Amino acid sequence: MFTEYEIETMVELPEVLEATQALKKDFCKNEAPYLEISDHDFFSLIMMAPTVGIALADGTVSLFEELALNKKARKLSKGGYFMKKDPVVYAMKFLLKKYDIWSDKFFNVLKVAMHVSFDMERLEKKKFDEEAEVTYPEYKKAVLNTPYILIRFIASFFLENDEEIISTNRHIGRNEYLQMLKVGEQMGLNKLPVFQMFCKTFDQKA
């Protein structure tokens, strides 16, 4: 997943900062009027949106999922992993309650971040047969040939640990899997062969 320092670097990009500040103003005005949060930590909240969406796939968030979300949020916040009252964890409570209302706006900022971080349009031009079986060697090669920052985005959005990006033992519930596909489509990741291959590496559970 992204580190605090990668978040800091991302927010320094003018396009990302502008989009983050506009959404922060909108979110605080209409959803959390008393929320005090820095631009860095609000972008960290934006980065959490895909993970929040997966956690809500069954309609509610279990205690285990809540603990995992809080742990991830603390790692993304500025110097906040050991903070008692973490601003990203606190802000995430508002997003969890109104995810369906705000998710598209959050994903739009993430699309801005991805487009300024790597050549997304070039990767979209590569063809991929959605019906084809994906072998593990093919997937590993695709990951190695993909821009590092895109792999970081995918891992941060959909995995608990970066090391799992190349793995043969990933399991996911059916609802979570469908939500992952939906989130990928909302952010345009579904147009990228490496993301389509990534999704095919999961074993679905009932």
Side-chain angles (χ1 to χ4, degrees):
M1 61 181 290
F2 272 38
T3 67
E4 168 192 340
Y5 305 105
E6 287 171 326
I7 293 291
E8 183 178 57
T9 302
M10 193 72 65
V11 176
E12 289 174 351
L13 300 172
E15 300 94 331
V16 177
L17 178 60
E18 181 180 356
T20 299
Q21 289 177 332
L23 180 55
K24 174 184 167 182
K25 182 178 180 180
D26 186 16
F27 189 76
C28 290
K29 178 182 178 181
N30 295 292
E31 201 61 54
Y34 301 108
L35 177 64
E36 295 184 4
I37 189 168
S38 68
D39 294 335
H40 175 116
D41 285 340
F42 193 78
F43 185 73
S44 295
L45 175 66
I46 295 170
M47 282 292 298
M48 289 292 301
T51 311
V52 168
I54 303 298
L56 286 168
D58 291 321
T60 59
V61 177
S62 68
L63 176 59
F64 176 79
E65 288 171 325
E66 182 180 357
L67 292 174
L69 286 172
N70 289 348
K71 180 180 178 181
K72 194 169 190 176
R74 287 180 181 276
K75 286 185 177 180
L76 290 174
S77 62
K78 191 172 181 62
Y81 185 65
F82 295 108
M83 289 172 59
K84 291 183 178 180
K85 186 176 180 180
D86 188 276
V88 183
V89 172
Y90 178 68
M92 188 169 59
K93 296 181 185 299
F94 295 96
L95 179 59
L96 280 163
K97 290 179 181 178
K98 299 292 182 64
Y99 173 81
D100 289 340
I101 295 175
W102 290 96
S103 59
D104 281 341
K105 291 184 178 182
F106 275 62
F107 292 155
N108 285 339
V109 178
L110 290 175
K111 284 192 283 188
V112 171
M114 288 191 289
H115 276 280
V116 299
S117 300
F118 60 90
D119 192 346
M120 198 165 182
E121 293 182 359
R122 179 179 64 82
L123 295 177
E124 289 175 352
K125 293 178 181 178
K126 295 183 179 181
K127 302 300 181 182
F128 179 76
D129 183 0
E130 296 183 20
E131 303 299 323
E133 292 292 329
V134 176
T135 66
Y136 185 51
E138 287 174 333
Y139 171 66
K140 288 195 297 183
K141 185 176 180 181
V143 169
L144 294 177
N145 289 329
T146 297
Y148 169 79
I149 189 63
L150 171 54
I151 296 302
R152 296 289 282 157
F153 273 113
I154 292 174
S156 291
F157 294 157
F158 304 111
L159 298 174
E160 289 188 22
N161 301 301
D162 288 358
E163 294 80 4
E164 296 176 8
I165 192 67
I166 296 181
S167 171
T168 58
N169 189 31
R170 279 203 291 264
H171 304 283
I172 191 171
R174 177 63 177 170
N175 289 340
E176 286 80 5
Y177 181 78
L178 293 175
Q179 183 67 10
M180 180 172 67
L181 296 181
K182 180 180 178 181
V183 168
E185 183 176 356
Q186 286 175 289
M187 290 192 291
L189 287 170
N190 63 313
K191 299 176 184 178
L192 308 181
V194 71
F195 176 72
Q196 294 173 322
M197 296 175 78
F198 168 76
C199 292
K200 285 178 175 286
T201 64
F202 285 85
D203 291 326
Q204 296 179 53
K205 300 181 293 183

